[in-house]
Amino acid sequence: MTRLTLENIEENSTLRIVEEIEEGARKLSHAVNARSAKFIEDNGFEVLDRKAIGIVANREVGRLDASTALDLGAEIYRSDADAIMQACGNWKSFPINEELEARTGTPVLTTNQVSPWHVARMLGVPPVNGLGQLLAGKTPA
């Protein structure tokens, strides 16, 4: 929640509100990122670093090019990390998983990948190549 400032009903005041909405969305994005990191840590994993892209509108995330996942994954990469986790079910991350893994030498885990991986394991579906190490069965379960 945020408070928006409307001083007068005129164009400039309305434009300032739009700027405030964008800033509020960035703050919310960082809060969601922090909550996600806490969830991961509460489940026994150490989060070494994190970064939010500053977008909270799910449709807007869905419109992002897959290169944003590649760029952010490469930016957040740390050599002492066991994996790179990219969370958001509407983010086009499948196309870049293998490239990011090749670039960093680190397994990439994404929301879009972990969910079907878990279902495939429950159903006994064989590994799938081309979507990253996890679905190819190349990472420890």
Side-chain angles (χ1 to χ4, degrees), residues 20-134:
E20 289 180 30
I21 290 171
E22 290 172 1
E23 178 60 27
R26 278 190 288 282
K27 288 178 183 176
L28 179 58
S29 174
H30 293 292
V32 169
N33 193 11
R35 185 175 174 104
S36 296
K38 182 176 178 347
F39 173 81
I40 291 168
E41 288 185 331
D42 287 350
N43 282 278
F45 299 93
E46 182 182 5
V47 175
L48 301 178
D49 206 348
R50 60 188 167 91
K51 184 171 183 177
I53 58 176
I55 299 172
V56 294
N58 198 37
R59 287 184 182 192
E60 191 174 333
V61 172
R63 291 185 194 110
L64 292 174
D65 188 81
S67 65
T68 60
L70 178 64
D71 294 343
L72 186 61
E75 181 181 331
I76 201 77
Y77 165 71
R78 288 181 47 157
S79 61
D80 56 338
D82 294 328
I84 297 169
M85 174 64 194
Q86 295 186 318
C88 182
N90 206 26
W91 199 8
K92 295 177 193 130
S93 53
F94 266 131
I96 62 89
N97 288 345
E98 287 195 329
E99 184 178 347
L100 183 55
E101 288 174 343
R103 202 184 272 191
T104 63
T106 303
V108 173
L109 306 174
T110 69
T111 305
N112 294 335
Q113 175 195 47
V114 172
S115 299
W117 167 81
H118 183 67
V119 171
R121 284 193 50 188
M122 289 174 28
L123 298 174
V125 175
V128 176
N129 290 316
L131 300 172
Q133 294 180 34
L134 181 67

